[in-house]
Coordinates of all heavy atoms in Angstrom, one line a residue:
S15 N -1.0 -45.4 61.5 CA -1.7 -44.7 62.6 C -1.6 -43.2 62.5 O -0.6 -42.7 61.8 CB -1.2 -45.2 63.9 OG 0.1 -44.6 64.1
V16 N -2.4 -42.5 63.0 CA -2.4 -41.0 63.0 C -1.2 -40.4 63.6 O -0.5 -39.6 62.9 CB -3.7 -40.4 63.7 CG1 -3.5 -38.9 63.8 CG2 -4.9 -40.8 62.9
P17 N -0.7 -40.9 64.7 CA 0.6 -40.2 65.3 C 1.8 -40.5 64.3 O 2.6 -39.6 64.1 CB 0.7 -40.9 66.6 CG -0.6 -41.3 67.0 CD -1.4 -41.7 65.7
A18 N 1.9 -41.7 63.8 CA 3.0 -42.1 62.9 C 3.0 -41.2 61.7 O 4.0 -40.8 61.2 CB 3.0 -43.5 62.6
M19 N 1.8 -41.0 61.1 CA 1.7 -40.3 59.8 C 1.7 -38.7 60.0 O 2.1 -38.0 59.1 CB 0.4 -40.7 59.1 CG 0.5 -42.2 58.8 SD -0.9 -42.7 57.7 CE -0.3 -42.2 56.1
T20 N 1.3 -38.2 61.2 CA 1.1 -36.8 61.3 C 2.1 -36.2 62.3 O 2.2 -35.0 62.4 CB -0.3 -36.4 61.7 OG1 -0.5 -37.0 63.0 CG2 -1.4 -36.9 60.7
G21 N 2.7 -37.0 63.2 CA 3.4 -36.5 64.3 C 2.6 -35.9 65.4 O 3.2 -35.2 66.3
R22 N 1.3 -36.0 65.4 CA 0.5 -35.4 66.4 C 0.0 -36.5 67.3 O -0.1 -37.7 67.0 CB -0.7 -34.8 65.7 CG -0.2 -33.7 64.7 CD -1.4 -32.9 64.2 NE -2.0 -32.2 65.4 CZ -2.6 -31.1 65.2 NH1 -2.7 -30.5 64.0 NH2 -3.2 -30.5 66.2
R23 N -0.4 -36.1 68.6 CA -0.9 -37.0 69.5 C -2.4 -37.3 69.3 O -3.1 -36.4 68.6 CB -0.9 -36.4 71.0 CG 0.5 -36.4 71.5 CD 0.4 -36.0 72.9 NE 1.5 -35.0 73.2 CZ 1.5 -34.3 74.2 NH1 0.7 -34.3 75.1 NH2 2.5 -33.4 74.4
V24 N -3.0 -38.4 69.8 CA -4.4 -38.7 69.7 C -4.9 -38.8 71.1 O -4.2 -39.2 72.1 CB -4.7 -40.0 68.9 CG1 -4.3 -39.7 67.4 CG2 -4.0 -41.2 69.5
F25 N -6.2 -38.5 71.3 CA -6.8 -38.7 72.6 C -7.0 -40.2 72.9 O -6.7 -40.7 74.0 CB -8.2 -38.0 72.6 CG -8.9 -38.2 73.9 CD1 -8.6 -37.5 75.1 CD2 -9.9 -39.1 74.0 CE1 -9.3 -37.6 76.3 CE2 -10.7 -39.3 75.2 CZ -10.3 -38.6 76.3
L26 N -7.5 -40.9 71.9 CA -7.7 -42.4 72.0 C -7.1 -43.1 70.8 O -7.5 -42.8 69.7 CB -9.3 -42.6 72.1 CG -9.7 -44.0 72.2 CD1 -9.1 -44.7 73.4 CD2 -11.2 -44.2 72.2
G27 N -6.1 -43.9 71.1 CA -5.5 -44.7 70.1 C -5.4 -46.2 70.5 O -6.2 -46.6 71.2
H28 N -4.4 -46.8 70.0 CA -4.1 -48.2 70.4 C -4.0 -48.4 71.8 O -3.4 -47.5 72.6 CB -2.8 -48.7 69.8 CG -2.9 -48.7 68.2 ND1 -3.7 -49.5 67.5 CD2 -2.2 -47.9 67.3 CE1 -3.5 -49.3 66.2 NE2 -2.7 -48.3 66.0
G29 N -4.6 -49.4 72.4 CA -4.6 -49.6 73.9 C -3.2 -49.6 74.5 O -3.1 -49.0 75.6
H30 N -2.2 -50.2 73.9 CA -0.9 -50.2 74.5 C -0.2 -48.9 74.4 O 0.9 -48.7 75.0 CB -0.1 -51.3 74.0 CG 0.2 -51.2 72.5 ND1 -0.7 -51.4 71.5 CD2 1.4 -50.8 71.9 CE1 -0.1 -51.2 70.4 NE2 1.1 -50.8 70.6
Q31 N -0.8 -47.9 73.6 CA -0.1 -46.6 73.4 C -0.9 -45.4 74.0 O -0.5 -44.3 73.9 CB 0.1 -46.4 72.0 CG 1.1 -47.3 71.3 CD 1.2 -47.1 69.8 OE1 0.2 -46.8 69.1 NE2 2.4 -47.5 69.3
T32 N -2.0 -45.8 74.7 CA -2.9 -44.7 75.3 C -2.9 -44.8 76.8 O -3.4 -45.9 77.3 CB -4.3 -44.8 74.7 OG1 -4.2 -44.8 73.3 CG2 -5.2 -43.8 75.2
I33 N -2.6 -43.8 77.5 CA -2.7 -43.7 78.9 C -4.2 -43.7 79.3 O -5.0 -43.0 78.7 CB -2.0 -42.5 79.5 CG1 -0.5 -42.6 79.2 CG2 -2.3 -42.3 81.0 CD1 0.3 -41.3 79.5
D34 N -4.6 -44.5 80.3 CA -5.9 -44.6 80.8 C -6.9 -45.0 79.6 O -8.0 -44.5 79.5 CB -6.3 -43.3 81.4 CG -7.5 -43.4 82.4 OD1 -7.8 -44.6 82.8 OD2 -8.1 -42.4 82.7
W35 N -6.5 -45.9 78.8 CA -7.2 -46.3 77.7 C -8.6 -46.7 77.9 O -9.5 -46.3 77.2 CB -6.5 -47.5 77.0 CG -7.1 -48.0 75.7 CD1 -7.0 -47.4 74.5 CD2 -8.0 -49.1 75.5 NE1 -7.8 -48.1 73.5 CE2 -8.4 -49.1 74.2 CE3 -8.5 -50.1 76.4 CZ2 -9.2 -50.2 73.7 CZ3 -9.3 -51.0 75.9 CH2 -9.7 -51.1 74.6
W36 N -8.9 -47.6 78.9 CA -10.3 -48.1 79.1 C -11.2 -47.0 79.5 O -12.3 -46.9 79.0 CB -10.3 -49.2 80.2 CG -11.7 -49.8 80.4 CD1 -12.4 -49.7 81.6 CD2 -12.4 -50.5 79.5 NE1 -13.6 -50.3 81.4 CE2 -13.6 -50.8 80.1 CE3 -12.3 -50.8 78.1 CZ2 -14.7 -51.5 79.4 CZ3 -13.3 -51.4 77.5 CH2 -14.5 -51.8 78.2
S37 N -10.8 -46.0 80.3 CA -11.6 -44.9 80.7 C -11.9 -44.1 79.4 O -13.1 -43.6 79.3 CB -10.9 -44.1 81.7 OG -11.6 -42.9 82.0
K38 N -11.0 -43.9 78.6 CA -11.2 -43.1 77.4 C -12.1 -43.8 76.4 O -13.0 -43.2 75.8 CB -9.9 -42.8 76.7 CG -9.1 -41.7 77.5 CD -7.7 -41.4 76.9 CE -7.0 -40.4 77.7 NZ -5.7 -40.1 77.1
V39 N -12.0 -45.1 76.3 CA -12.9 -45.9 75.5 C -14.4 -45.7 76.0 O -15.3 -45.5 75.2 CB -12.5 -47.4 75.5 CG1 -13.7 -48.2 74.9 CG2 -11.3 -47.6 74.7
Q40 N -14.5 -45.8 77.3 CA -15.8 -45.7 77.8 C -16.4 -44.3 77.6 O -17.6 -44.2 77.3 CB -15.8 -46.0 79.4 CG -15.6 -47.5 79.6 CD -15.4 -47.7 81.1 OE1 -14.8 -47.0 81.8 NE2 -16.0 -48.8 81.5
T41 N -15.6 -43.3 77.7 CA -16.0 -41.9 77.5 C -16.4 -41.7 76.0 O -17.5 -41.2 75.7 CB -14.9 -40.9 77.9 OG1 -14.7 -41.1 79.3 CG2 -15.4 -39.5 77.5
V42 N -15.6 -42.1 75.1 CA -15.8 -41.9 73.7 C -17.0 -42.8 73.2 O -18.0 -42.3 72.5 CB -14.6 -42.2 72.8 CG1 -14.9 -42.1 71.3 CG2 -13.5 -41.1 73.2
L43 N -17.0 -44.1 73.5 CA -18.0 -45.0 73.0 C -19.3 -44.9 73.8 O -20.5 -45.0 73.2 CB -17.5 -46.4 72.9 CG -16.3 -46.7 72.1 CD1 -16.0 -48.2 72.1 CD2 -16.5 -46.2 70.7
G44 N -19.2 -44.8 75.1 CA -20.3 -44.8 75.9 C -21.1 -43.5 76.2 O -22.1 -43.4 76.8
W45 N -20.4 -42.4 75.7 CA -21.0 -41.0 75.9 C -20.9 -40.3 74.6 O -22.0 -39.9 74.0 CB -20.4 -40.3 77.0 CG -20.8 -38.9 77.1 CD1 -22.1 -38.4 77.5 CD2 -20.0 -37.7 76.9 NE1 -22.1 -37.1 77.4 CE2 -20.9 -36.6 77.1 CE3 -18.7 -37.5 76.6 CZ2 -20.3 -35.3 77.0 CZ3 -18.2 -36.3 76.5 CH2 -19.1 -35.1 76.7
F46 N -19.7 -39.9 74.2 CA -19.5 -38.9 73.1 C -20.2 -39.4 71.8 O -21.0 -38.6 71.3 CB -18.0 -38.7 72.9 CG -17.7 -37.5 72.0 CD1 -17.6 -36.3 72.6 CD2 -17.8 -37.6 70.7 CE1 -17.4 -35.2 71.8 CE2 -17.5 -36.5 69.8 CZ -17.4 -35.3 70.5
L47 N -20.0 -40.6 71.4 CA -20.5 -41.0 70.1 C -21.9 -41.6 70.3 O -22.7 -41.8 69.2 CB -19.7 -42.1 69.4 CG -18.2 -41.6 69.1 CD1 -17.4 -42.8 68.5 CD2 -18.4 -40.5 68.0
L48 N -22.3 -41.9 71.5 CA -23.6 -42.6 71.7 C -24.9 -41.8 71.3 O -25.8 -42.4 70.8 CB -23.6 -43.0 73.2 CG -24.8 -44.1 73.5 CD1 -24.6 -45.3 72.8 CD2 -24.8 -44.3 75.0
T49 N -24.9 -40.5 71.7 CA -26.0 -39.7 71.4 C -25.7 -38.5 70.6 O -24.5 -38.2 70.4 CB -26.7 -39.2 72.7 OG1 -25.8 -38.2 73.3 CG2 -27.0 -40.3 73.7
N50 N -26.6 -37.8 70.0 CA -26.4 -36.7 69.3 C -26.6 -35.3 70.0 O -26.6 -34.3 69.5 CB -27.3 -36.7 68.0 CG -26.8 -35.7 66.9 OD1 -25.6 -35.6 66.7 ND2 -27.7 -35.1 66.2
G51 N -26.9 -35.5 71.3 CA -27.2 -34.3 72.1 C -26.0 -33.9 73.0 O -24.9 -34.4 72.8
D52 N -26.3 -33.1 74.0 CA -25.3 -32.7 75.0 C -24.1 -31.9 74.3 O -23.0 -32.1 74.7 CB -24.8 -33.9 75.8 CG -24.4 -33.6 77.2 OD1 -24.6 -32.5 77.6 OD2 -23.8 -34.5 77.9
D53 N -24.5 -31.1 73.4 CA -23.4 -30.5 72.5 C -22.5 -29.5 73.4 O -21.3 -29.5 73.1 CB -24.1 -29.6 71.4 CG -24.6 -30.6 70.3 OD1 -24.0 -31.6 70.1 OD2 -25.6 -30.2 69.7
E54 N -22.9 -28.8 74.3 CA -22.1 -27.9 75.0 C -21.0 -28.7 75.8 O -19.9 -28.4 75.9 CB -22.9 -26.9 75.9 CG -22.0 -25.9 76.6 CD -21.1 -25.1 75.7 OE1 -21.6 -24.7 74.6 OE2 -20.0 -24.8 76.0
A55 N -21.5 -29.8 76.4 CA -20.6 -30.6 77.2 C -19.5 -31.3 76.3 O -18.4 -31.4 76.6 CB -21.3 -31.7 78.0
K56 N -20.0 -31.7 75.1 CA -19.1 -32.4 74.1 C -18.1 -31.4 73.6 O -16.9 -31.7 73.4 CB -20.0 -33.1 73.0 CG -20.7 -34.3 73.5 CD -21.5 -35.0 72.5 CE -22.2 -36.1 73.1 NZ -23.0 -36.8 72.1
R57 N -18.6 -30.2 73.3 CA -17.6 -29.1 72.8 C -16.6 -28.8 73.9 O -15.4 -28.8 73.6 CB -18.3 -27.9 72.4 CG -17.4 -26.8 71.8 CD -18.2 -25.5 71.6 NE -18.5 -24.9 72.9 CZ -17.6 -24.2 73.7 NH1 -16.4 -24.1 73.2 NH2 -18.0 -23.7 74.8
S58 N -17.0 -28.7 75.1 CA -16.1 -28.4 76.2 C -15.2 -29.6 76.4 O -14.0 -29.4 76.7 CB -16.9 -28.2 77.5 OG -17.6 -27.0 77.4
F59 N -15.6 -30.8 76.3 CA -14.8 -31.9 76.4 C -13.7 -31.9 75.4 O -12.4 -32.2 75.8 CB -15.6 -33.2 76.3 CG -14.8 -34.5 76.1 CD1 -14.2 -35.1 77.2 CD2 -14.7 -35.0 74.8 CE1 -13.5 -36.2 77.0 CE2 -13.9 -36.1 74.6 CZ -13.3 -36.8 75.7
L60 N -14.0 -31.6 74.2 CA -13.0 -31.6 73.2 C -12.0 -30.5 73.4 O -10.7 -30.8 73.4 CB -13.6 -31.4 71.7 CG -14.5 -32.5 71.3 CD1 -15.2 -32.0 70.0 CD2 -13.7 -33.7 71.0
I61 N -12.4 -29.3 73.8 CA -11.5 -28.2 74.0 C -10.7 -28.5 75.3 O -9.4 -28.3 75.2 CB -12.2 -26.9 74.2 CG1 -12.9 -26.6 72.8 CG2 -11.5 -25.8 74.7 CD1 -13.9 -25.5 72.8
N62 N -11.2 -28.9 76.3 CA -10.5 -29.2 77.6 C -9.5 -30.3 77.5 O -8.5 -30.3 78.3 CB -11.5 -29.5 78.7 CG -12.4 -28.3 79.2 OD1 -11.9 -27.2 78.9 ND2 -13.5 -28.6 79.7
N63 N -9.7 -31.2 76.5 CA -8.8 -32.3 76.2 C -7.8 -32.0 75.1 O -7.1 -32.9 74.7 CB -9.5 -33.6 76.1 CG -10.0 -34.1 77.4 OD1 -9.2 -34.7 78.2 ND2 -11.3 -34.0 77.7
N64 N -7.8 -30.8 74.6 CA -6.9 -30.3 73.6 C -7.1 -31.1 72.3 O -6.1 -31.4 71.5 CB -5.4 -30.4 74.0 CG -5.2 -29.5 75.2 OD1 -5.6 -28.3 75.2 ND2 -4.5 -29.9 76.2
V65 N -8.3 -31.6 72.0 CA -8.6 -32.2 70.8 C -8.9 -31.2 69.7 O -9.8 -30.4 69.8 CB -9.8 -33.2 70.9 CG1 -10.2 -33.8 69.7 CG2 -9.6 -34.2 72.0
T66 N -8.1 -31.2 68.7 CA -8.2 -30.2 67.6 C -8.9 -30.7 66.4 O -9.4 -30.0 65.6 CB -6.8 -29.7 67.2 OG1 -6.0 -30.7 66.7 CG2 -6.2 -28.9 68.4
H67 N -8.9 -32.1 66.3 CA -9.5 -32.7 65.1 C -10.2 -34.0 65.5 O -9.7 -34.6 66.4 CB -8.4 -33.0 64.0 CG -7.9 -31.8 63.4 ND1 -6.9 -31.1 64.0 CD2 -8.2 -31.2 62.3 CE1 -6.6 -30.0 63.2 NE2 -7.4 -30.1 62.2
L68 N -11.3 -34.3 64.8 CA -12.1 -35.5 65.1 C -12.1 -36.3 63.8 O -12.5 -35.7 62.7 CB -13.5 -35.2 65.5 CG -14.4 -36.3 65.7 CD1 -14.3 -36.9 67.1 CD2 -15.9 -35.9 65.4
I69 N -11.7 -37.5 63.8 CA -11.8 -38.4 62.6 C -13.0 -39.3 62.8 O -13.2 -40.0 63.8 CB -10.5 -39.3 62.5 CG1 -9.3 -38.4 62.4 CG2 -10.7 -40.3 61.4 CD1 -7.9 -39.2 62.4
F70 N -13.9 -39.2 61.8 CA -15.2 -39.9 61.9 C -15.4 -40.7 60.6 O -15.5 -40.2 59.5 CB -16.3 -38.9 62.0 CG -17.7 -39.4 62.4 CD1 -17.9 -39.6 63.7 CD2 -18.5 -39.8 61.4 CE1 -19.2 -40.1 64.2 CE2 -19.8 -40.4 61.8 CZ -20.1 -40.5 63.2
G71 N -15.5 -42.0 60.9 CA -15.6 -42.9 59.7 C -16.7 -44.0 60.0 O -17.6 -43.7 60.8
V72 N -16.7 -45.0 59.2 CA -17.7 -46.1 59.3 C -17.9 -46.6 60.7 O -19.0 -46.8 61.3 CB -17.5 -47.2 58.3 CG1 -18.4 -48.3 58.5 CG2 -17.5 -46.6 56.9
Y73 N -16.7 -46.9 61.4 CA -16.8 -47.5 62.7 C -17.4 -46.5 63.7 O -18.3 -46.9 64.5 CB -15.3 -47.8 63.2 CG -15.3 -48.3 64.6 CD1 -15.7 -49.6 64.9 CD2 -14.8 -47.5 65.6 CE1 -15.7 -50.1 66.2 CE2 -14.9 -47.9 67.0 CZ -15.3 -49.2 67.2 OH -15.3 -49.7 68.5
E74 N -17.0 -45.3 63.7 CA -17.6 -44.2 64.6 C -19.1 -44.1 64.4 O -19.8 -43.9 65.3 CB -16.9 -43.0 64.5 CG -15.4 -42.9 65.0 CD -14.4 -43.6 64.0 OE1 -14.8 -43.8 62.8 OE2 -13.3 -43.9 64.4
D75 N -19.4 -44.1 63.1 CA -20.9 -44.0 62.7 C -21.7 -45.1 63.3 O -22.9 -45.0 63.6 CB -21.0 -43.9 61.2 CG -22.4 -43.4 60.8 OD1 -22.9 -42.6 61.5 OD2 -22.8 -43.9 59.7
R76 N -21.1 -46.3 63.4 CA -21.9 -47.5 63.9 C -22.1 -47.5 65.4 O -23.0 -48.2 65.9 CB -21.1 -48.8 63.5 CG -21.1 -49.1 62.1 CD -20.4 -50.4 61.8 NE -20.3 -50.6 60.4 CZ -19.4 -51.4 59.8 NH1 -18.5 -52.0 60.6 NH2 -19.3 -51.5 58.5
V77 N -21.3 -46.7 66.1 CA -21.3 -46.7 67.6 C -22.6 -46.2 68.2 O -23.2 -46.8 69.1 CB -20.1 -45.9 68.2 CG1 -20.3 -45.8 69.7 CG2 -18.8 -46.6 67.9
G78 N -23.1 -45.1 67.6 CA -24.3 -44.5 68.2 C -24.9 -43.5 67.2 O -24.9 -43.7 66.0
D79 N -25.6 -42.5 67.7 CA -26.3 -41.5 67.0 C -25.6 -40.2 66.6 O -26.2 -39.3 66.1 CB -27.6 -41.2 67.6 CG -28.5 -42.4 67.8 OD1 -28.5 -43.3 66.9 OD2 -29.2 -42.5 68.8
F80 N -24.3 -40.0 67.1 CA -23.6 -38.8 66.8 C -23.6 -38.4 65.4 O -23.2 -39.2 64.5 CB -22.2 -38.9 67.5 CG -21.5 -37.6 67.6 CD1 -21.9 -36.6 68.4 CD2 -20.4 -37.3 66.8 CE1 -21.3 -35.3 68.5 CE2 -19.7 -36.2 66.8 CZ -20.1 -35.1 67.7
E81 N -23.9 -37.1 65.1 CA -23.9 -36.6 63.7 C -23.1 -35.4 63.6 O -23.5 -34.3 63.7 CB -25.4 -36.3 63.3 CG -26.3 -37.5 63.2 CD -26.0 -38.4 62.1 OE1 -25.4 -37.9 61.1 OE2 -26.4 -39.5 62.1
P82 N -21.8 -35.6 63.3 CA -20.8 -34.4 63.2 C -21.2 -33.3 62.3 O -21.0 -32.1 62.6 CB -19.6 -35.1 62.7 CG -19.6 -36.5 63.1 CD -21.0 -36.8 63.0
P83 N -21.9 -33.6 61.1 CA -22.3 -32.5 60.3 C -23.2 -31.5 60.8 O -23.3 -30.3 60.4 CB -22.9 -33.2 59.0 CG -22.3 -34.6 59.0 CD -22.1 -34.9 60.5
Q84 N -23.9 -31.9 61.9 CA -24.9 -31.1 62.6 C -24.3 -30.2 63.7 O -25.0 -29.4 64.3 CB -26.0 -32.0 63.2 CG -26.8 -32.7 62.2 CD -27.8 -33.7 62.8 OE1 -28.0 -33.7 64.1 NE2 -28.5 -34.4 62.0
K85 N -23.0 -30.3 63.9 CA -22.4 -29.7 65.0 C -21.6 -28.3 64.6 O -20.8 -28.4 63.7 CB -21.3 -30.6 65.8 CG -21.9 -31.9 66.1 CD -23.1 -31.8 66.9 CE -23.8 -33.1 67.2 NZ -25.1 -32.9 67.8
S86 N -22.0 -27.2 65.2 CA -21.4 -26.0 64.8 C -19.9 -25.9 65.2 O -19.1 -25.2 64.8 CB -22.2 -24.8 65.4 OG -22.2 -24.9 66.9
Y87 N -19.5 -26.8 66.2 CA -18.1 -26.8 66.7 C -17.2 -27.7 65.9 O -16.1 -27.9 66.3 CB -18.1 -27.1 68.2 CG -18.8 -28.4 68.5 CD1 -18.1 -29.6 68.7 CD2 -20.2 -28.4 68.9 CE1 -18.8 -30.7 69.0 CE2 -20.8 -29.5 69.3 CZ -20.1 -30.7 69.3 OH -20.8 -31.9 69.6
L88 N -17.8 -28.4 64.9 CA -17.0 -29.3 64.0 C -17.1 -28.8 62.6 O -18.2 -28.7 62.1 CB -17.5 -30.7 64.2 CG -17.3 -31.4 65.6 CD1 -17.9 -32.8 65.5 CD2 -15.8 -31.5 65.9
V89 N -15.9 -28.5 62.0 CA -15.9 -28.1 60.5 C -15.2 -29.1 59.7 O -14.0 -29.4 60.1 CB -15.3 -26.8 60.5 CG1 -15.1 -26.3 59.0 CG2 -16.0 -25.7 61.2
P90 N -15.7 -29.7 58.7 CA -15.0 -30.7 57.9 C -13.9 -30.0 57.2 O -14.0 -29.0 56.6 CB -16.1 -31.2 56.9 CG -17.2 -30.1 56.9 CD -17.1 -29.4 58.2
V91 N -12.7 -30.7 57.3 CA -11.6 -30.1 56.6 C -10.9 -31.1 55.6 O -10.1 -30.7 54.8 CB -10.4 -29.7 57.6 CG1 -10.9 -28.5 58.4 CG2 -10.0 -30.8 58.5
H92 N -11.3 -32.4 55.6 CA -10.8 -33.3 54.7 C -11.8 -34.6 54.7 O -12.3 -35.0 55.7 CB -9.4 -33.8 55.1 CG -8.9 -34.8 54.1 ND1 -8.4 -34.5 52.9 CD2 -8.7 -36.1 54.2 CE1 -8.0 -35.5 52.3 NE2 -8.1 -36.6 53.0
Q93 N -12.0 -35.1 53.5 CA -12.8 -36.3 53.4 C -12.2 -37.2 52.3 O -11.7 -36.7 51.3 CB -14.2 -35.9 52.9 CG -15.1 -37.2 52.9 CD -16.6 -36.9 52.7 OE1 -17.0 -35.7 52.5 NE2 -17.4 -37.8 52.6
E94 N -12.1 -38.5 52.7 CA -11.7 -39.5 51.7 C -12.5 -40.7 52.0 O -12.5 -41.3 53.1 CB -10.2 -39.8 52.0 CG -9.6 -40.6 50.9 CD -8.1 -40.6 50.9 OE1 -7.5 -39.6 51.3 OE2 -7.5 -41.7 50.6
G95 N -13.2 -41.1 50.9 CA -14.2 -42.3 51.1 C -15.2 -42.0 52.1 O -15.8 -40.9 52.1
N96 N -15.4 -42.9 53.1 CA -16.3 -42.8 54.1 C -15.8 -42.1 55.4 O -16.4 -42.2 56.4 CB -16.9 -44.1 54.5 CG -17.7 -44.8 53.4 OD1 -18.3 -44.0 52.7 ND2 -17.6 -46.0 53.2
V97 N -14.6 -41.5 55.3 CA -13.9 -41.0 56.5 C -13.9 -39.4 56.3 O -13.4 -38.9 55.2 CB -12.5 -41.5 56.7 CG1 -11.9 -40.8 57.9 CG2 -12.6 -43.0 56.9
T98 N -14.3 -38.7 57.3 CA -14.2 -37.2 57.3 C -13.4 -36.8 58.5 O -13.6 -37.3 59.6 CB -15.6 -36.6 57.4 OG1 -16.3 -37.0 56.3 CG2 -15.5 -35.1 57.3
V99 N -12.5 -35.8 58.3 CA -11.7 -35.2 59.4 C -12.4 -33.8 59.6 O -12.6 -33.1 58.7 CB -10.2 -35.0 59.0 CG1 -9.5 -34.3 60.1 CG2 -9.6 -36.4 58.7
Y100 N -12.7 -33.6 60.9 CA -13.3 -32.4 61.3 C -12.3 -31.6 62.2 O -11.7 -32.2 63.0 CB -14.7 -32.7 62.1 CG -15.7 -33.2 61.3 CD1 -15.8 -34.6 61.2 CD2 -16.7 -32.5 60.6 CE1 -16.9 -35.3 60.5 CE2 -17.7 -33.0 59.9 CZ -17.8 -34.4 59.9 OH -18.8 -35.0 59.1
Q101 N -12.3 -30.3 62.0 CA -11.6 -29.5 62.9 C -12.5 -28.9 64.0 O -13.6 -28.6 63.7 CB -11.0 -28.3 62.2 CG -10.1 -27.4 63.1 CD -9.4 -26.3 62.3 OE1 -9.6 -26.2 61.0 NE2 -8.6 -25.5 62.9
V102 N -12.1 -29.0 65.2 CA -12.8 -28.5 66.4 C -12.6 -27.0 66.5 O -11.5 -26.5 66.5 CB -12.3 -29.2 67.7 CG1 -13.1 -28.6 68.9 CG2 -12.4 -30.7 67.6
V103 N -13.8 -26.3 66.5 CA -13.7 -24.8 66.6 C -14.4 -24.5 67.9 O -15.4 -25.0 68.3 CB -14.4 -24.1 65.4 CG1 -13.5 -24.3 64.2 CG2 -15.8 -24.5 65.2
P104 N -13.8 -23.5 68.7 CA -14.4 -23.1 70.0 C -15.7 -22.4 69.8 O -16.0 -21.9 68.8 CB -13.3 -22.2 70.6 CG -12.1 -22.3 69.7 CD -12.5 -22.9 68.5

């Protein structure tokens, strides 16, 4: 898991380790990843929730239409296989 390997917190992780998990699942799956629009709100959401990096892989890609490479507020910093880690820039 990301916290175990990096020592960093995650916004949405395992259900038993994430406060208010269901609400966060609905936000991420039902809004953030669902569409490719609403960029100002999505950028603000990341910043306001202290999200510094976004991990985007096959699972996230299947959820909706979100396209991280098209976002000026996300800069790719690492890629391995089908997974890319993006840094959030204000």
Side-chain angles (χ1 to χ4, degrees):
S15 76
V16 172
M19 297 185 82
T20 66
R22 299 187 67 151
R23 290 191 223 164
V24 295
F25 177 79
L26 177 60
H28 297 294
H30 65 284
Q31 296 176 328
T32 303
I33 295 172
D34 202 16
W35 181 81
W36 183 243
S37 175
K38 290 178 179 181
V39 166
Q40 291 175 318
T41 299
V42 172
L43 300 183
W45 171 66
F46 193 91
L47 295 175
L48 194 61
T49 68
N50 198 38
D52 211 7
D53 286 328
E54 186 55 37
K56 289 179 181 180
R57 185 189 69 78
S58 293
F59 167 78
L60 294 170
I61 292 167
N62 291 338
N63 285 284
N64 299 312
V65 176
T66 60
H67 292 82
L68 175 88
I69 299 172
F70 194 87
V72 175
Y73 176 75
E74 292 79 12
D75 194 33
R76 290 181 188 159
V77 172
D79 295 328
F80 188 68
E81 295 289 338
Q84 298 175 2
K85 309 304 174 192
S86 62
Y87 54 91
L88 297 175
V89 176
V91 292
H92 181 76
Q93 183 171 2
E94 191 165 325
N96 294 326
V97 177
T98 303
V99 178
Y100 294 89
Q101 183 173 1
V102 178
V103 293

